[in-house]
Amino acid sequence: MLKFILIAFIFMIAPDAFAESGLPALTIESTDSGGKSYSLSLQVLVLMTVITLLPGLLLTMTSFTRIIIVLAILRQALGTAQTPSNQILLGLALFITFFVMTPVLTEVYTNSLQPYISEDIDAQTAVNNAIDPIKKFMIAQTRENDVALFVELSGGAEIEKPEDISMSILLPAFITSELKTAFQIGFILFIPFLIIDLVVASVLMSMGMMMLSPLIISLPFKLMLFVLVDGWSLVLGMLASSFYIV
């Protein structure tokens, strides 16, 4: 946004200088189909700006949010403090996200990036083709009541079909739905470990060992249970299968 503001400010203070120099980076031509074609330099500028937004797009438009929250809750339920470390959890979440989003990314590459590189479509068509599969994925994971909430807050008209949802409404609705789903999964994961903590605390209380922390005793049992049931495979498999790729 700062880059665009700076460019707009320069245009306002020196329009004549740009008109005389005729910078090719700012050339915009009309196409035969009625669209607009931007010069390569301006496209690179826009591309570099979009790249700076990639972390935000990763958090708000993919499966990363649900996965990282569930993994963080799982670590809290195990009571292993900083094990696995944040770097390991982030790396694991990124690779699972890439696995889940592969069908969507493949469709984006086939219908948008590859034709644009081959100059079969213009930039605007490429952007639309890239947004469509991502939008379908987000709609499949978003609850109707969350969409209705943000439609009501925006004061917009009622949406008749999912394809009519704008990205300004879909993005917050998608994030809200992902947070709800992540906490629901985290609650289910927390229950067996909570039961172990309660049992250990009750046994220690009955033995009069009130000064001994139950976490010290319950941690080995929770780790043993998690390993015996092949917990990592179950959790990661459940997370991957919780998404419906369309």
Side-chain angles (χ1 to χ4, degrees), residues 191-226:
I191 291 178
F193 302 110
L194 179 61
I195 293 175
I196 293 177
D197 286 333
L198 291 176
V199 171
V200 171
S202 300
V203 172
L204 291 178
M205 287 288 292
S206 63
M207 296 176 63
M209 304 174 66
M210 293 178 291
M211 300 301 295
L212 181 62
S213 174
L215 296 177
I216 299 177
I217 306 301
S218 63
L219 180 57
F221 291 99
K222 291 190 287 187
L223 293 178
M224 181 181 65
L225 172 65
F226 194 68

Side-chain angles (χ1 to χ4, degrees), residues 9 55 71 94 109 114 180:
F9 179 73
L71 292 179
L94 283 173
Y109 176 78
Q114 189 175 24
K180 289 181 181 178

